[in-house]
Amino acid sequence: MTVTLEDIQAASARLAGHAVRTPLLESPALSERVGGRLLIKPETLQLVGAFKFRGAYNRLSQLSDDERRRGVVAFSSGNHAQGVALAARMLGVPAVIVMPTDAPAAKIAATRGYGAEVITYDRYTEDREAIARTIAAERGAITVPPYDDVHIIAGQGTLGLELVDQARTLGAELQMVATPVGGGGLVSGVAAAVKGLIPDARIWGAEPEGFDDIARSLATGTPQSNIPGARSICDSLQPPTLGKITFPMIEQLLAGVVAITDAEAAEAMRAAFIHLKLVVEPGGAAALAAILAGKISLAGKTGVVVLSGGNVDPALFARVLNGEL
Amino acid sequence: MTVTLEDIQAASARLAGHAVRTPLLESPALSERVGGRLLIKPETLQLVGAFKFRGAYNRLSQLSDDERRRGVVAFSSGNHAQGVALAARMLGVPAVIVMPTDAPAAKIAATRGYGAEVITYDRYTEDREAIARTIAAERGAITVPPYDDVHIIAGQGTLGLELVDQARTLGAELQMVATPVGGGGLVSGVAAAVKGLIPDARIWGAEPEGFDDIARSLATGTPQSNIPGARSICDSLQPPTLGKITFPMIEQLLAGVVAITDAEAAEAMRAAFIHLKLVVEPGGAAALAAILAGKISLAGKTGVVVLSGGNVDPALFARVLNGEL
């Protein structure tokens, strides 16, 4: 199973008039710092403050009438939860969301605010997929996985179509795109879209250290797991397993995936604050972090970095601004 | 002297391809909170992080070759300084900027970063206009005033043209626009643009308490000054005198100007952080503050609020997020 450019174009038609066409920004200061032309795709400005709305809406808008009545269930550390909750409300579908107890309070509150029923679990001892499966079985609800689903991937890929079109409008010849990587739904969808239109473009991903199962799987050629007991401030990039659909797409389409530290994520958040006036959450800043740290080089090139989300608790953001992280 | 719709359209043609066409965003959460349809024009995403680039570029791009060689001088608490400095660099014009010693460090550093020479003065004891006049006389430089100039006002008005066009694209029938007010260059330019296209639209301004000379002048019908010794976190909205061009335009075109407190500005900054994922400086949030505080009503209406700038020191922003302001 894979996702094609045509799948993504069809998703784009479904999302038209529902999702935000986020702008493509340019930062002279950051471009100067990295020695290339750095364009910014701020999905922080998307509905629910993250790209996740795209995939969720693409999936839910294809439910049958019977499925809509039965409702949906999703498991998520936060942004997918909000995406599913809002898409469900827009489409009149009941939604149950399984979220870790230590998810950012802002994300749990926002998910409830969109009218979803939230059930919490312990991220380190309980199996969220099993909990979601039980709810699905009891209620007959449709499970909406966070990334390993062709409709979800196609929905996320729509932002790749947009950024190619927007770069052309700016007269920029796009050579690379970098996105944060959790389960890989975003990066594989964007890669399918961008390389479908610009085959020579190089697509990069960035993961948090300790949760860099994809980077290590690519490096070793065999499937790797996240480091047991790992911790990261990038709460949105901690999926427990490699995607059966996303990982093969990443293997086939990406130039590489790199790992970034908490300190690098915090530095990228500060750079986005100062130079872009954008609020970016730690995981949402992972690709920018990799570029600013020199782990992905933009020297002499034109590229787009995706800021994938901005749902961060004020207290954590204040600590980052004060240099405490 | 006044500024017409045609002046603003001519400015818009000069700015095309140089200034950012900032997006028009929509916040369902904030719309729900105010009981109307609230659209957001984030000039925080403009070059230099504030609308000021528009007026500065419009003014400087009309200098003669001889004037360009002699250079420009400007006085500003920060955003106009950066706007003039960047426009000057883009046009190859030397620039001297007179800034208060207590301007946000980020603004002084950014102004120097754009290649301008910065001279500081004491905001409470020295006369910035006199300092600028002396420099202009000594060097033969052209003074670029921060607001009381038809080319500056026309440049700022270009964002009014944009937001009307963007609201139409969204299918929104615009009934009101609210902007922060310092010297009034922004609000008078926006009013001339918006009312030139939608005569029934009501334009509102918001000033900080203590620096609400315009609100009190409108209320009393006679020119008023700012309150001596007043302090406000809205560093960008503290001009010392009423504009000879802007005040009559405000009298003629505006529905009203209201005063907001520091606490209301801070609350609006937090709301922009949470719901819009945007970094807004205190003065830049003044109009949103007035709407959220109910001082400007959007109930049952469709309106645009301009977030005029995002140049705020990280430490101050952290204090706002922590509820210390």
Side-chain angles (χ1 to χ4, degrees), chain B residues 217-240:
Chain B
S217 299
L218 291 174
T220 60
T222 54
Q224 303 288 316
S225 299
N226 287 324
I227 307 295
R231 293 285 189 279
S232 164
I233 60 169
C234 299
D235 61 278
S236 52
L237 305 180
Q238 306 185 1

mmCIF file with all atom_site columns, all heavy atoms in Angstrom, chain B residues 217-240:
data_model
loop_
_atom_site.group_PDB
_atom_site.id
_atom_site.type_symbol
_atom_site.label_atom_id
_atom_site.label_alt_id
_atom_site.label_comp_id
_atom_site.label_asym_id
_atom_site.label_entity_id
_atom_site.label_seq_id
_atom_site.pdbx_PDB_ins_code
_atom_site.Cartn_x
_atom_site.Cartn_y
_atom_site.Cartn_z
_atom_site.occupancy
_atom_site.B_iso_or_equiv
_atom_site.pdbx_formal_charge
_atom_site.auth_seq_id
_atom_site.auth_comp_id
_atom_site.auth_asym_id
_atom_site.auth_atom_id
_atom_site.pdbx_PDB_model_num
ATOM 1   N N   . SER B 1 217 ? -9.096  63.492 22.828 1.00 0.00 ? 217 SER B N   1
ATOM 2   C CA  . SER B 1 217 ? -9.303  64.642 21.933 1.00 0.00 ? 217 SER B CA  1
ATOM 3   C C   . SER B 1 217 ? -10.628 64.500 21.192 1.00 0.00 ? 217 SER B C   1
ATOM 4   O O   . SER B 1 217 ? -11.365 65.475 21.011 1.00 0.00 ? 217 SER B O   1
ATOM 5   C CB  . SER B 1 217 ? -8.157  64.733 20.924 1.00 0.00 ? 217 SER B CB  1
ATOM 6   O OG  . SER B 1 217 ? -6.922  64.930 21.585 1.00 0.00 ? 217 SER B OG  1
ATOM 7   N N   . LEU B 1 218 ? -10.936 63.264 20.777 1.00 0.00 ? 218 LEU B N   1
ATOM 8   C CA  . LEU B 1 218 ? -12.217 63.032 20.101 1.00 0.00 ? 218 LEU B CA  1
ATOM 9   C C   . LEU B 1 218 ? -13.373 63.276 21.073 1.00 0.00 ? 218 LEU B C   1
ATOM 10  O O   . LEU B 1 218 ? -14.386 63.886 20.720 1.00 0.00 ? 218 LEU B O   1
ATOM 11  C CB  . LEU B 1 218 ? -12.293 61.592 19.578 1.00 0.00 ? 218 LEU B CB  1
ATOM 12  C CG  . LEU B 1 218 ? -11.367 61.235 18.405 1.00 0.00 ? 218 LEU B CG  1
ATOM 13  C CD1 . LEU B 1 218 ? -11.457 59.731 18.102 1.00 0.00 ? 218 LEU B CD1 1
ATOM 14  C CD2 . LEU B 1 218 ? -11.710 62.042 17.148 1.00 0.00 ? 218 LEU B CD2 1
ATOM 15  N N   . ALA B 1 219 ? -13.199 62.801 22.302 1.00 0.00 ? 219 ALA B N   1
ATOM 16  C CA  . ALA B 1 219 ? -14.285 62.897 23.283 1.00 0.00 ? 219 ALA B CA  1
ATOM 17  C C   . ALA B 1 219 ? -14.564 64.345 23.668 1.00 0.00 ? 219 ALA B C   1
ATOM 18  O O   . ALA B 1 219 ? -15.720 64.741 23.838 1.00 0.00 ? 219 ALA B O   1
ATOM 19  C CB  . ALA B 1 219 ? -13.940 62.073 24.529 1.00 0.00 ? 219 ALA B CB  1
ATOM 20  N N   . THR B 1 220 ? -13.487 65.146 23.809 1.00 0.00 ? 220 THR B N   1
ATOM 21  C CA  . THR B 1 220 ? -13.664 66.523 24.284 1.00 0.00 ? 220 THR B CA  1
ATOM 22  C C   . THR B 1 220 ? -13.819 67.525 23.145 1.00 0.00 ? 220 THR B C   1
ATOM 23  O O   . THR B 1 220 ? -14.251 68.646 23.380 1.00 0.00 ? 220 THR B O   1
ATOM 24  C CB  . THR B 1 220 ? -12.448 66.953 25.127 1.00 0.00 ? 220 THR B CB  1
ATOM 25  O OG1 . THR B 1 220 ? -11.276 66.865 24.296 1.00 0.00 ? 220 THR B OG1 1
ATOM 26  C CG2 . THR B 1 220 ? -12.272 66.053 26.348 1.00 0.00 ? 220 THR B CG2 1
ATOM 27  N N   . GLY B 1 221 ? -13.430 67.110 21.939 1.00 0.00 ? 221 GLY B N   1
ATOM 28  C CA  . GLY B 1 221 ? -13.516 68.039 20.818 1.00 0.00 ? 221 GLY B CA  1
ATOM 29  C C   . GLY B 1 221 ? -12.388 69.053 20.780 1.00 0.00 ? 221 GLY B C   1
ATOM 30  O O   . GLY B 1 221 ? -12.379 69.959 19.951 1.00 0.00 ? 221 GLY B O   1
ATOM 31  N N   . THR B 1 222 ? -11.435 68.931 21.709 1.00 0.00 ? 222 THR B N   1
ATOM 32  C CA  . THR B 1 222 ? -10.260 69.812 21.688 1.00 0.00 ? 222 THR B CA  1
ATOM 33  C C   . THR B 1 222 ? -8.991  68.963 21.806 1.00 0.00 ? 222 THR B C   1
ATOM 34  O O   . THR B 1 222 ? -9.021  67.892 22.421 1.00 0.00 ? 222 THR B O   1
ATOM 35  C CB  . THR B 1 222 ? -10.287 70.817 22.868 1.00 0.00 ? 222 THR B CB  1
ATOM 36  O OG1 . THR B 1 222 ? -10.440 70.079 24.081 1.00 0.00 ? 222 THR B OG1 1
ATOM 37  C CG2 . THR B 1 222 ? -11.431 71.803 22.719 1.00 0.00 ? 222 THR B CG2 1
ATOM 38  N N   . PRO B 1 223 ? -7.874  69.428 21.238 1.00 0.00 ? 223 PRO B N   1
ATOM 39  C CA  . PRO B 1 223 ? -6.643  68.630 21.251 1.00 0.00 ? 223 PRO B CA  1
ATOM 40  C C   . PRO B 1 223 ? -6.161  68.363 22.679 1.00 0.00 ? 223 PRO B C   1
ATOM 41  O O   . PRO B 1 223 ? -6.036  69.283 23.476 1.00 0.00 ? 223 PRO B O   1
ATOM 42  C CB  . PRO B 1 223 ? -5.637  69.510 20.498 1.00 0.00 ? 223 PRO B CB  1
ATOM 43  C CG  . PRO B 1 223 ? -6.463  70.475 19.714 1.00 0.00 ? 223 PRO B CG  1
ATOM 44  C CD  . PRO B 1 223 ? -7.696  70.708 20.526 1.00 0.00 ? 223 PRO B CD  1
ATOM 45  N N   . GLN B 1 224 ? -5.923  67.109 22.990 1.00 0.00 ? 224 GLN B N   1
ATOM 46  C CA  . GLN B 1 224 ? -5.441  66.700 24.308 1.00 0.00 ? 224 GLN B CA  1
ATOM 47  C C   . GLN B 1 224 ? -4.042  66.097 24.164 1.00 0.00 ? 224 GLN B C   1
ATOM 48  O O   . GLN B 1 224 ? -3.675  65.605 23.110 1.00 0.00 ? 224 GLN B O   1
ATOM 49  C CB  . GLN B 1 224 ? -6.370  65.631 24.896 1.00 0.00 ? 224 GLN B CB  1
ATOM 50  C CG  . GLN B 1 224 ? -7.817  66.073 25.015 1.00 0.00 ? 224 GLN B CG  1
ATOM 51  C CD  . GLN B 1 224 ? -8.026  67.086 26.127 1.00 0.00 ? 224 GLN B CD  1
ATOM 52  O OE1 . GLN B 1 224 ? -7.495  66.915 27.230 1.00 0.00 ? 224 GLN B OE1 1
ATOM 53  N NE2 . GLN B 1 224 ? -8.769  68.149 25.843 1.00 0.00 ? 224 GLN B NE2 1
ATOM 54  N N   . SER B 1 225 ? -3.291  66.123 25.284 1.00 0.00 ? 225 SER B N   1
ATOM 55  C CA  . SER B 1 225 ? -1.969  65.498 25.303 1.00 0.00 ? 225 SER B CA  1
ATOM 56  C C   . SER B 1 225 ? -2.036  64.181 26.065 1.00 0.00 ? 225 SER B C   1
ATOM 57  O O   . SER B 1 225 ? -3.011  63.903 26.773 1.00 0.00 ? 225 SER B O   1
ATOM 58  C CB  . SER B 1 225 ? -0.956  66.413 25.998 1.00 0.00 ? 225 SER B CB  1
ATOM 59  O OG  . SER B 1 225 ? -0.853  67.635 25.300 1.00 0.00 ? 225 SER B OG  1
ATOM 60  N N   . ASN B 1 226 ? -0.971  63.398 25.925 1.00 0.00 ? 226 ASN B N   1
ATOM 61  C CA  . ASN B 1 226 ? -0.858  62.207 26.749 1.00 0.00 ? 226 ASN B CA  1
ATOM 62  C C   . ASN B 1 226 ? -0.684  62.624 28.207 1.00 0.00 ? 226 ASN B C   1
ATOM 63  O O   . ASN B 1 226 ? -0.282  63.751 28.502 1.00 0.00 ? 226 ASN B O   1
ATOM 64  C CB  . ASN B 1 226 ? 0.326   61.355 26.288 1.00 0.00 ? 226 ASN B CB  1
ATOM 65  C CG  . ASN B 1 226 ? 0.021   60.660 24.970 1.00 0.00 ? 226 ASN B CG  1
ATOM 66  O OD1 . ASN B 1 226 ? -1.108  60.244 24.725 1.00 0.00 ? 226 ASN B OD1 1
ATOM 67  N ND2 . ASN B 1 226 ? 1.033   60.556 24.113 1.00 0.00 ? 226 ASN B ND2 1
ATOM 68  N N   . ILE B 1 227 ? -0.990  61.708 29.142 1.00 0.00 ? 227 ILE B N   1
ATOM 69  C CA  . ILE B 1 227 ? -0.870  61.999 30.564 1.00 0.00 ? 227 ILE B CA  1
ATOM 70  C C   . ILE B 1 227 ? 0.619   62.054 30.929 1.00 0.00 ? 227 ILE B C   1
ATOM 71  O O   . ILE B 1 227 ? 1.351   61.084 30.681 1.00 0.00 ? 227 ILE B O   1
ATOM 72  C CB  . ILE B 1 227 ? -1.554  60.890 31.400 1.00 0.00 ? 227 ILE B CB  1
ATOM 73  C CG1 . ILE B 1 227 ? -3.002  60.670 30.943 1.00 0.00 ? 227 ILE B CG1 1
ATOM 74  C CG2 . ILE B 1 227 ? -1.477  61.222 32.890 1.00 0.00 ? 227 ILE B CG2 1
ATOM 75  C CD1 . ILE B 1 227 ? -3.941  61.821 31.155 1.00 0.00 ? 227 ILE B CD1 1
ATOM 76  N N   . PRO B 1 228 ? 1.102   63.176 31.505 1.00 0.00 ? 228 PRO B N   1
ATOM 77  C CA  . PRO B 1 228 ? 2.524   63.259 31.861 1.00 0.00 ? 228 PRO B CA  1
ATOM 78  C C   . PRO B 1 228 ? 2.909   62.130 32.824 1.00 0.00 ? 228 PRO B C   1
ATOM 79  O O   . PRO B 1 228 ? 2.164   61.843 33.761 1.00 0.00 ? 228 PRO B O   1
ATOM 80  C CB  . PRO B 1 228 ? 2.640   64.627 32.548 1.00 0.00 ? 228 PRO B CB  1
ATOM 81  C CG  . PRO B 1 228 ? 1.461   65.408 32.057 1.00 0.00 ? 228 PRO B CG  1
ATOM 82  C CD  . PRO B 1 228 ? 0.366   64.412 31.835 1.00 0.00 ? 228 PRO B CD  1
ATOM 83  N N   . GLY B 1 229 ? 4.051   61.506 32.565 1.00 0.00 ? 229 GLY B N   1
ATOM 84  C CA  . GLY B 1 229 ? 4.525   60.449 33.446 1.00 0.00 ? 229 GLY B CA  1
ATOM 85  C C   . GLY B 1 229 ? 3.839   59.113 33.251 1.00 0.00 ? 229 GLY B C   1
ATOM 86  O O   . GLY B 1 229 ? 4.115   58.165 33.986 1.00 0.00 ? 229 GLY B O   1
ATOM 87  N N   . ALA B 1 230 ? 2.947   59.019 32.259 1.00 0.00 ? 230 ALA B N   1
ATOM 88  C CA  . ALA B 1 230 ? 2.247   57.747 32.028 1.00 0.00 ? 230 ALA B CA  1
ATOM 89  C C   . ALA B 1 230 ? 3.239   56.659 31.635 1.00 0.00 ? 230 ALA B C   1
ATOM 90  O O   . ALA B 1 230 ? 4.287   56.933 31.045 1.00 0.00 ? 230 ALA B O   1
ATOM 91  C CB  . ALA B 1 230 ? 1.193   57.923 30.937 1.00 0.00 ? 230 ALA B CB  1
ATOM 92  N N   . ARG B 1 231 ? 2.930   55.439 31.994 1.00 0.00 ? 231 ARG B N   1
ATOM 93  C CA  . ARG B 1 231 ? 3.734   54.280 31.598 1.00 0.00 ? 231 ARG B CA  1
ATOM 94  C C   . ARG B 1 231 ? 2.791   53.237 31.023 1.00 0.00 ? 231 ARG B C   1
ATOM 95  O O   . ARG B 1 231 ? 1.646   53.109 31.470 1.00 0.00 ? 231 ARG B O   1
ATOM 96  C CB  . ARG B 1 231 ? 4.467   53.669 32.803 1.00 0.00 ? 231 ARG B CB  1
ATOM 97  C CG  . ARG B 1 231 ? 5.553   54.541 33.415 1.00 0.00 ? 231 ARG B CG  1
ATOM 98  C CD  . ARG B 1 231 ? 6.814   54.552 32.538 1.00 0.00 ? 231 ARG B CD  1
ATOM 99  N NE  . ARG B 1 231 ? 7.948   55.212 33.191 1.00 0.00 ? 231 ARG B NE  1
ATOM 100 C CZ  . ARG B 1 231 ? 8.136   56.524 33.251 1.00 0.00 ? 231 ARG B CZ  1
ATOM 101 N NH1 . ARG B 1 231 ? 7.247   57.337 32.713 1.00 0.00 ? 231 ARG B NH1 1
ATOM 102 N NH2 . ARG B 1 231 ? 9.212   57.027 33.850 1.00 0.00 ? 231 ARG B NH2 1
ATOM 103 N N   . SER B 1 232 ? 3.261   52.471 30.052 1.00 0.00 ? 232 SER B N   1
ATOM 104 C CA  . SER B 1 232 ? 2.457   51.400 29.465 1.00 0.00 ? 232 SER B CA  1
ATOM 105 C C   . SER B 1 232 ? 3.401   50.341 28.925 1.00 0.00 ? 232 SER B C   1
ATOM 106 O O   . SER B 1 232 ? 4.513   50.651 28.491 1.00 0.00 ? 232 SER B O   1
ATOM 107 C CB  . SER B 1 232 ? 1.587   51.956 28.326 1.00 0.00 ? 232 SER B CB  1
ATOM 108 O OG  . SER B 1 232 ? 1.094   50.901 27.521 1.00 0.00 ? 232 SER B OG  1
ATOM 109 N N   . ILE B 1 233 ? 2.956   49.066 28.922 1.00 0.00 ? 233 ILE B N   1
ATOM 110 C CA  . ILE B 1 233 ? 3.778   48.034 28.278 1.00 0.00 ? 233 ILE B CA  1
ATOM 111 C C   . ILE B 1 233 ? 3.696   48.141 26.757 1.00 0.00 ? 233 ILE B C   1
ATOM 112 O O   . ILE B 1 233 ? 4.469   47.514 26.058 1.00 0.00 ? 233 ILE B O   1
ATOM 113 C CB  . ILE B 1 233 ? 3.391   46.599 28.726 1.00 0.00 ? 233 ILE B CB  1
ATOM 114 C CG1 . ILE B 1 233 ? 1.938   46.261 28.398 1.00 0.00 ? 233 ILE B CG1 1
ATOM 115 C CG2 . ILE B 1 233 ? 3.689   46.398 30.198 1.00 0.00 ? 233 ILE B CG2 1
ATOM 116 C CD1 . ILE B 1 233 ? 1.616   44.759 28.587 1.00 0.00 ? 233 ILE B CD1 1
ATOM 117 N N   . CYS B 1 234 ? 2.774   48.958 26.261 1.00 0.00 ? 234 CYS B N   1
ATOM 118 C CA  . CYS B 1 234 ? 2.627   49.106 24.803 1.00 0.00 ? 234 CYS B CA  1
ATOM 119 C C   . CYS B 1 234 ? 3.653   50.111 24.293 1.00 0.00 ? 234 CYS B C   1
ATOM 120 O O   . CYS B 1 234 ? 3.324   51.257 23.966 1.00 0.00 ? 234 CYS B O   1
ATOM 121 C CB  . CYS B 1 234 ? 1.218   49.555 24.460 1.00 0.00 ? 234 CYS B CB  1
ATOM 122 S SG  . CYS B 1 234 ? -0.055  48.387 24.993 1.00 0.00 ? 234 CYS B SG  1
ATOM 123 N N   . ASP B 1 235 ? 4.918   49.682 24.208 1.00 0.00 ? 235 ASP B N   1
ATOM 124 C CA  . ASP B 1 235 ? 5.994   50.610 23.865 1.00 0.00 ? 235 ASP B CA  1
ATOM 125 C C   . ASP B 1 235 ? 5.837   51.198 22.471 1.00 0.00 ? 235 ASP B C   1
ATOM 126 O O   . ASP B 1 235 ? 6.362   52.270 22.177 1.00 0.00 ? 235 ASP B O   1
ATOM 127 C CB  . ASP B 1 235 ? 7.353   49.913 23.978 1.00 0.00 ? 235 ASP B CB  1
ATOM 128 C CG  . ASP B 1 235 ? 7.456   48.732 23.020 1.00 0.00 ? 235 ASP B CG  1
ATOM 129 O OD1 . ASP B 1 235 ? 6.953   47.654 23.374 1.00 0.00 ? 235 ASP B OD1 1
ATOM 130 O OD2 . ASP B 1 235 ? 8.018   48.888 21.918 1.00 0.00 ? 235 ASP B OD2 1
ATOM 131 N N   . SER B 1 236 ? 5.106   50.525 21.602 1.00 0.00 ? 236 SER B N   1
ATOM 132 C CA  . SER B 1 236 ? 5.002   51.005 20.214 1.00 0.00 ? 236 SER B CA  1
ATOM 133 C C   . SER B 1 236 ? 3.865   52.002 20.028 1.00 0.00 ? 236 SER B C   1
ATOM 134 O O   . SER B 1 236 ? 3.668   52.501 18.917 1.00 0.00 ? 236 SER B O   1
ATOM 135 C CB  . SER B 1 236 ? 4.826   49.820 19.268 1.00 0.00 ? 236 SER B CB  1
ATOM 136 O OG  . SER B 1 236 ? 3.758   48.992 19.678 1.00 0.00 ? 236 SER B OG  1
ATOM 137 N N   . LEU B 1 237 ? 3.119   52.309 21.080 1.00 0.00 ? 237 LEU B N   1
ATOM 138 C CA  . LEU B 1 237 ? 1.957   53.204 20.937 1.00 0.00 ? 237 LEU B CA  1
ATOM 139 C C   . LEU B 1 237 ? 2.082   54.429 21.833 1.00 0.00 ? 237 LEU B C   1
ATOM 140 O O   . LEU B 1 237 ? 1.146   54.812 22.513 1.00 0.00 ? 237 LEU B O   1
ATOM 141 C CB  . LEU B 1 237 ? 0.663   52.438 21.274 1.00 0.00 ? 237 LEU B CB  1
ATOM 142 C CG  . LEU B 1 237 ? 0.384   51.150 20.500 1.00 0.00 ? 237 LEU B CG  1
ATOM 143 C CD1 . LEU B 1 237 ? -0.937  50.533 20.964 1.00 0.00 ? 237 LEU B CD1 1
ATOM 144 C CD2 . LEU B 1 237 ? 0.361   51.378 19.003 1.00 0.00 ? 237 LEU B CD2 1
ATOM 145 N N   . GLN B 1 238 ? 3.292   55.053 21.835 1.00 0.00 ? 238 GLN B N   1
ATOM 146 C CA  . GLN B 1 238 ? 3.499   56.173 22.744 1.00 0.00 ? 238 GLN B CA  1
ATOM 147 C C   . GLN B 1 238 ? 4.029   57.429 22.052 1.00 0.00 ? 238 GLN B C   1
ATOM 148 O O   . GLN B 1 238 ? 4.980   58.041 22.519 1.00 0.00 ? 238 GLN B O   1
ATOM 149 C CB  . GLN B 1 238 ? 4.476   55.744 23.861 1.00 0.00 ? 238 GLN B CB  1
ATOM 150 C CG  . GLN B 1 238 ? 4.032   54.474 24.570 1.00 0.00 ? 238 GLN B CG  1
ATOM 151 C CD  . GLN B 1 238 ? 4.919   54.101 25.736 1.00 0.00 ? 238 GLN B CD  1
ATOM 152 O OE1 . GLN B 1 238 ? 5.879   54.787 26.049 1.00 0.00 ? 238 GLN B OE1 1
ATOM 153 N NE2 . GLN B 1 238 ? 4.618   52.996 26.371 1.00 0.00 ? 238 GLN B NE2 1
ATOM 154 N N   . PRO B 1 239 ? 3.427   57.830 20.943 1.00 0.00 ? 239 PRO B N   1
ATOM 155 C CA  . PRO B 1 239 ? 3.920   59.038 20.276 1.00 0.00 ? 239 PRO B CA  1
ATOM 156 C C   . PRO B 1 239 ? 3.581   60.272 21.110 1.00 0.00 ? 239 PRO B C   1
ATOM 157 O O   . PRO B 1 239 ? 2.542   60.293 21.768 1.00 0.00 ? 239 PRO B O   1
ATOM 158 C CB  . PRO B 1 239 ? 3.144   59.041 18.962 1.00 0.00 ? 239 PRO B CB  1
ATOM 159 C CG  . PRO B 1 239 ? 1.869   58.371 19.309 1.00 0.00 ? 239 PRO B CG  1
ATOM 160 C CD  . PRO B 1 239 ? 2.215   57.312 20.330 1.00 0.00 ? 239 PRO B CD  1
ATOM 161 N N   . PRO B 1 240 ? 4.449   61.287 21.091 1.00 0.00 ? 240 PRO B N   1
ATOM 162 C CA  . PRO B 1 240 ? 4.253   62.423 21.993 1.00 0.00 ? 240 PRO B CA  1
ATOM 163 C C   . PRO B 1 240 ? 3.198   63.426 21.536 1.00 0.00 ? 240 PRO B C   1
ATOM 164 O O   . PRO B 1 240 ? 2.697   64.179 22.366 1.00 0.00 ? 240 PRO B O   1
ATOM 165 C CB  . PRO B 1 240 ? 5.637   63.076 22.029 1.00 0.00 ? 240 PRO B CB  1
ATOM 166 C CG  . PRO B 1 240 ? 6.305   62.659 20.758 1.00 0.00 ? 240 PRO B CG  1
ATOM 167 C CD  . PRO B 1 240 ? 5.725   61.349 20.371 1.00 0.00 ? 240 PRO B CD  1
#
